[in-house]
Amino acid sequence: MTPEDVLPETLLERFRGRASSYDRDNAFFHEDLGELAAAGYLKLFVPAADGGLGLGLAAAAQCQRRLATAAPATALAVNMHLVWTGVAQVLAATGDHSLDFVLQEAAAGEVFAFGNSEAGNDSVLFDSRTVATPLPDGGYSFTGTKIFTSLSPAWTRLGIFGKDTQARDGEGELVHGFIRRDTPGYTILDDWDTLGMRASQSNTTVLDGAEVPADRIFRKLPVGPNPDPLIFAIFACFETLLAAVYTGIGERALHLGVEAVKRRTSLKNGGRSYAQDPDIRWKVAEAAMAMDCLYPQLAAVARDVDALVDHGPQWFPRLVGLKVSATETARRVVDLAIRVSGGSSYFRGSELERLYRDVLAGMFHPSDDESAHNTVANAWLGPLEA
């Protein structure tokens, strides 16, 4: 099944037609989500035998790239559901069935989201400011604040984690689990009013003793970096699908820039098309060459995850490198498209104006630029001396 089969052009045009109003009104993409669910898109990773599309990460990334050319904020938010289902699939492929219930519940229509990010936590998955308190029945209660919780109006299952500070002889333990929409003890703040990616409605979630039963606690890990397959699966799916979204933004910006250049004419050059202007042509070529480098990088990383290729210590550098490459390339391509498109792209409501704001969100997603460069430098040069 091709991305065109999963997301036909007629569907994309409807998404594209709604994107500007979602952005203008700072509204969630309810209509888009309904159509995606009806098309089976939320079951990309669910096995075909269970009613899903049975795709791997490489195919799902191409679908997300295609969706992002029409509605970046919709694609970014849907990523969170796809990351969890992708993680479940990657783990199952290695023989780890601890998250099989995620695929089963996604098949039944449940919507998953990420409640992991925390303000000031630059350790990301390797530490937490959220307190996980053990309960007598083996479950945990969680107290803390999670930011950038995409899909806030729609999720039915929220993955969270926190730290049990008393576990492992006081060294602490990171506890992962899922809460349901009807779980008491959490509040979703109405605080998503941002520069771009507005339709994602990635509100702050405040956990105040939200309880996760023992059967939904799926991992307990030591604080700090560790080789658990869950960590690899989250990084692999998160970074790859995130890169796919920003690749789609860059792709769309390039096409819009080309259309604008062909449409614009120059008075001083006798009404000739700007497509004949050497300086403009250079900028379009620069954008096209940048995108041509990104497409195969995205495809290769996703394909290697599907094939369970063993890159050893080079895996994380490849994943964070892809994320930085995609977000920075897309930002540069959008900028070039704006430059060649003229003043019309500066007006509110133009698609390029929206992409210009949406693409900036890429710098805030983990791994950030500094962390990614540190990861790659450590892989090639070893850690800094004490």
Side-chain angles (χ1 to χ4, degrees):
M1 180 174 289
T2 69
E4 291 76 18
D5 294 327
V6 178
L7 293 169
E9 192 62 34
T10 52
L11 189 59
L12 290 185
E13 284 303 317
R14 289 199 295 275
F15 293 163
R16 188 171 290 122
R18 290 190 286 252
S20 61
S21 61
Y22 290 150
D23 175 73
R24 182 191 65 238
D25 299 337
N26 194 27
F28 186 67
F29 58 98
H30 287 290
E31 296 90 345
D32 286 4
L33 186 61
E35 290 205 63
L36 287 170
Y41 196 81
L42 302 186
K43 303 176 186 179
L44 286 182
F45 288 109
V46 173
D50 296 327
L53 299 185
L55 302 184
L57 186 59
Q62 295 310 315
C63 290
Q64 279 295 86
R65 168 186 155 191
R66 182 169 170 82
L67 177 57
T69 65
T74 294
L76 183 65
V78 168
N79 247 12
M80 300 305 105
H81 172 86
L82 294 178
V83 168
W84 273 128
T85 53
V87 167
Q89 187 202 61
V90 170
L91 288 177
T94 67
D96 181 337
H97 297 284
S98 59
L99 286 181
D100 280 2
F101 70 88
V102 170
L103 293 172
Q104 294 161 4
E105 295 188 5
E110 304 296 347
V111 178
F112 288 80
F114 258 84
N116 284 355
S117 296
E118 301 166 338
N121 179 11
D122 55 359
S123 292
V124 194
L125 289 176
F126 300 140
D127 204 346
S128 178
R129 292 174 175 267
T130 296
V131 176
T133 303
L135 301 173
D137 63 357
Y140 285 79
S141 69
F142 291 80
T143 299
T145 300
K146 304 295 187 177
I147 60 173
F148 297 123
T149 313
S150 300
L151 290 172
S152 283
W155 62 260
T156 63
R157 303 286 188 269
L158 182 67
I160 59 175
F161 86 124
K163 182 163 65 174
D164 177 359
T165 59
Q166 302 305 309
R168 299 181 187 251
D169 296 323
E171 294 183 2
E173 182 172 66
L174 300 174
V175 183
H176 295 258
F178 284 95
I179 62 172
R180 298 160 52 105
R181 192 80 185 185
D182 58 3
T183 299
Y186 74 89
T187 304
I188 297 174
L189 303 184
D190 184 16
D191 62 349
W192 190 250
D193 189 8
T194 50
L195 179 68
M197 292 293 187
R198 288 161 62 81
S200 71
Q201 291 299 294
S202 306
N203 304 84
T204 296
T205 303
V206 179
L207 304 171
D208 186 15
E211 295 186 4
V212 177
D215 64 352
R216 287 308 171 97
I217 297 295
F218 61 89
R219 263 318 188 277
K220 298 178 184 180
L221 300 174
V223 175
N226 67 85
D228 191 276
L230 174 69
I231 301 300
F232 170 76
I234 290 177
F235 267 93
C237 294
F238 187 93
E239 301 289 66
T240 303
L241 291 171
L242 187 73
V245 169
Y246 286 89
T247 301
I249 293 176
E251 180 179 355
R252 178 61 178 171
L254 174 59
H255 283 283
L256 289 173
V258 169
E259 291 173 6
V261 166
K262 290 181 176 180
R263 184 175 61 248
R264 296 177 65 207
T265 57
S266 171
L267 181 61
K268 72 177 182 180
N269 287 325
R272 297 182 71 192
S273 166
Y274 269 96
Q276 302 303 310
D277 183 302
D279 294 327
I280 297 294
R281 292 170 67 89
W282 187 93
K283 289 183 172 64
V284 171
E286 182 77 4
M289 288 189 290
M291 291 304 302
D292 282 344
C293 292
L294 185 54
Y295 298 135
Q297 184 182 11
L298 172 63
V301 169
R303 186 172 59 246
D304 283 359
V305 174
D306 284 338
L308 302 178
V309 174
D310 183 8
H311 288 300
Q314 287 295 330
W315 249 127
F316 285 96
R318 286 170 186 259
L319 293 168
V320 300
L322 170 62
K323 181 269 176 179
V324 170
S325 178
T327 54
E328 292 300 314
T329 296
R331 191 156 63 95
R332 186 166 73 253
V333 169
V334 172
D335 182 79
L336 287 166
I338 289 275
R339 290 173 184 272
V340 302
S341 295
S344 63
S345 61
Y346 191 62
F347 280 82
R348 287 281 301 195
S350 79
E351 189 173 356
L352 270 175
E353 178 267 340
R354 175 166 47 79
L355 295 184
Y356 193 75
R357 289 182 288 105
D358 282 350
V359 79
L360 293 179
M363 69 179 71
F364 300 107
H365 304 300
S367 294
D368 62 27
D369 196 39
E370 294 83 6
S371 174
H373 280 77
N374 182 59
T375 296
V376 175
N378 285 343
W380 286 96
L381 301 172
L384 287 169
E385 296 177 0

